[in-house]
Amino acid sequence: MPAWLYELIIVVLKGVGVAFALLTTFAYMTLVERRLLARMQIRIGPNRVGWNGLLQPLADAVKSIFKEDLNITMSDKLVYTLAPLIAITCALATFGGLPAGPPNSFFGANPWVYSLDIGVLVLLALTSMGVYGIFLGGWASGSKYPLLGGLRSAAQIISYELGMGLSLLGLLMLVGSTSFRAIVGWQGDHGWLILFQALGFVTFFVSSFAETNRTPFDLPEAEQELVAGYLTEYTAIKWALFQMAEYVNMITASALMSTLFFGGYKGPQFLNVLIPGISEWPFIWLILKIAVFLFIFIWARATLPRLRYDQLMRFGWKLLFPLALANTMFTAFYLAYLKGWGLWPLGVAGVLGVAALIAGSDRVRPLWNKPGVRVLDDAESPRSKTRIVGGD
């Protein structure tokens, strides 16, 4: 067998394996999320299908596959059908570029589907393309509520993509590479990048919620305002594909934050004293870190209320974007003129920036949530009706 054909078969098998793992994780993430939300809300959650409800994802899959697929009269049939396929394809393609272990550690093969020197840029590009599925699905449905949901999603992605990209510039300047393997290797030598880019992590973390359309940034499908947003006219397997894309994007965002800021597949080095080489075991540490972030996503959904759309946009442009830009400029200045001091002063400055942001949260809140003021229509008549004047 030619070497190129052998390599191609290995890549295809790894791609199929990653897709299968992601879709299986998506299926059981729906169960885990429902059980955790029930626990947080003092309920029981799904527990009827199978032992402790473990077969609930299978029942949901069967229902989605065999449910009637409605024919929308006013829809653009081709685009309406392609939109969920675009969303899930971009979501699945994104995860393959993240390394899950050292080279040749997966039965002699590399634990990643593809590895590029511009891996960070490719991943950001693929996540940005995923919004085409949402926007086209909203437009092709031929209804006003899906169209409004699609427009919201496009504006939201554009707004928060800028903050997300700027959040990573400081990190990339420190490492000097956009390769995920180089970033993980740098953290193995110098420490997790969360220690030196705390403010960058905070802005990236918040942007990840907006990118994945998760609470409190789930405006494209706000059921109180838009019925179900871009999902309104979708049923059966097409609806399920959009749900798959959302959860796979959430898993990818968790893996991305783990890789960029928390050492990726590398575990704590001190454990090598107990079990030699345990910190380099493939998959284990990355999966554990992903699980922590997935829990935070679910926790936020159970805790935080949805923002208004005007609050969402103001928050992105008036707070998140300036913070990410300030972090980038400060990191560039430090590396250009103060690099001889070492990296720890940069880490201390980042922690102080996060502490100042938390301490001054009440002062910066009016940037995106200006309180209304009650004023009288007629100052001479105390019994006259009052009106609310908002911040805008």
Side-chain angles (χ1 to χ4, degrees):
M1 180 183 297
W4 66 269
L5 182 58
Y6 175 79
E7 291 292 335
L8 179 61
I9 293 174
I10 294 298
V11 170
V12 170
L13 290 177
K14 288 192 292 187
V16 172
V18 167
F20 177 79
L22 286 174
L23 296 181
T24 304
T25 305
F26 147 73
Y28 278 91
M29 266 302 299
T30 58
L31 176 63
V32 169
E33 181 170 27
R34 293 167 69 182
R35 292 298 294 268
L36 283 176
L37 291 176
R39 180 81 174 180
M40 294 174 185
Q41 298 165 356
I42 318 179
R43 299 186 287 108
I44 296 176
N47 66 343
R48 297 289 185 179
V49 185
W51 182 75
N52 274 345
L54 288 179
L55 295 181
Q56 184 66 49
L58 180 61
D60 293 338
V62 172
K63 181 186 73 173
S64 297
I65 293 172
F66 291 101
K67 191 175 181 180
E68 181 183 4
D69 191 6
L70 298 179
N71 183 22
I72 309 302
T73 305
M74 300 297 293
S75 68
D76 185 312
K77 300 296 189 296
L78 177 60
V79 180
Y80 177 82
T81 303
L82 287 178
L85 296 176
I86 293 173
I88 187 61
T89 301
C90 292
L92 292 174
T94 304
F95 195 91
L98 297 173
N104 303 320
S105 61
F106 182 52
F107 302 105
N110 295 323
W112 55 77
V113 179
Y114 58 89
S115 178
L116 302 174
D117 292 336
I118 55 171
V120 174
L121 302 180
V122 170
L123 190 141
L124 291 177
L126 286 173
T127 55
S128 300
M129 290 175 62
V131 74
Y132 282 102
I134 296 175
F135 177 74
L136 292 176
W139 174 82
S141 295
S143 176
K144 58 183 177 181
Y145 289 128
L147 179 59
L148 287 174
L151 290 174
R152 282 185 173 189
S153 180
Q156 180 174 314
I157 294 296
I158 291 172
S159 301
Y160 284 85
E161 275 284 343
L162 292 173
M164 174 176 278
L166 284 174
S167 301
L168 296 181
L169 282 183
L171 177 152
L172 298 178
M173 285 188 286
L174 275 175
V175 178
S177 173
T178 56
S179 168
F180 286 113
R181 292 171 57 193
I183 293 171
V184 173
W186 190 95
Q187 292 178 88
D189 297 332
H190 300 87
W192 288 356
L193 277 161
I194 181 67
L195 300 174
F196 312 110
Q197 286 290 296
L199 186 58
F201 168 72
V202 170
T203 55
F204 187 85
F205 179 71
V206 175
S207 298
S208 297
F209 276 83
E211 287 287 307
T212 54
N213 294 326
R214 294 286 296 186
T215 307
F217 300 107
D218 55 340
L219 273 298
E221 50 184 292
E223 62 272 10
Q224 292 92 340
E225 307 163 23
L226 304 178
V227 184
Y230 66 94
L231 293 170
T232 301
E233 305 294 349
Y234 280 94
T235 58
I237 191 63
K238 294 187 181 73
W239 177 88
L241 288 175
F242 272 123
Q243 291 298 104
M244 289 180 195
E246 178 180 325
Y247 278 86
V248 171
N249 283 329
M250 188 168 66
I251 297 168
T252 301
S254 301
L256 185 58
M257 287 185 283
S258 303
T259 300
L260 293 176
F261 294 97
F262 291 90
Y265 62 80
K266 290 181 178 290
Q269 299 293 324
F270 66 87
L271 292 179
N272 289 330
V273 178
L274 302 176
I275 304 178
I278 188 175
S279 66
E280 299 286 335
W281 285 2
F283 300 104
I284 302 298
W285 299 109
L286 183 61
I287 291 174
L288 290 175
K289 295 169 185 176
I290 291 174
V292 171
F293 280 109
L294 289 176
F295 174 77
I296 295 174
F297 273 104
I298 297 171
W299 190 9
R301 179 178 180 182
T303 306
L304 300 176
R306 179 184 295 126
L307 296 175
R308 291 198 318 264
Y309 190 68
D310 60 310
Q311 293 174 332
L312 170 84
M313 299 303 288
R314 284 202 298 263
F315 182 83
W317 287 105
K318 292 186 176 182
L319 182 65
L320 196 71
F321 178 76
L323 282 177
L325 182 60
N327 178 72
T328 300
M329 295 179 66
F330 177 77
T331 303
F333 176 81
Y334 186 90
L335 294 178
Y337 298 104
L338 304 175
K339 190 175 182 180
W341 292 8
L343 295 176
W344 288 109
L346 184 63
V348 172
V351 172
L352 291 177
V354 174
L357 181 62
I358 295 173
S361 58
D362 286 338
R363 293 183 178 272
V364 299
R365 187 176 296 127
L367 289 175
W368 72 88
N369 189 23
K370 296 180 181 180
V373 180
R374 298 183 68 88
V375 297
L376 292 174
D377 286 334
D378 187 355
E380 297 179 358
S381 177
R383 293 186 180 180
S384 61
K385 295 181 180 179
T386 59
R387 57 191 173 91
I388 301 296
V389 179
D392 291 332

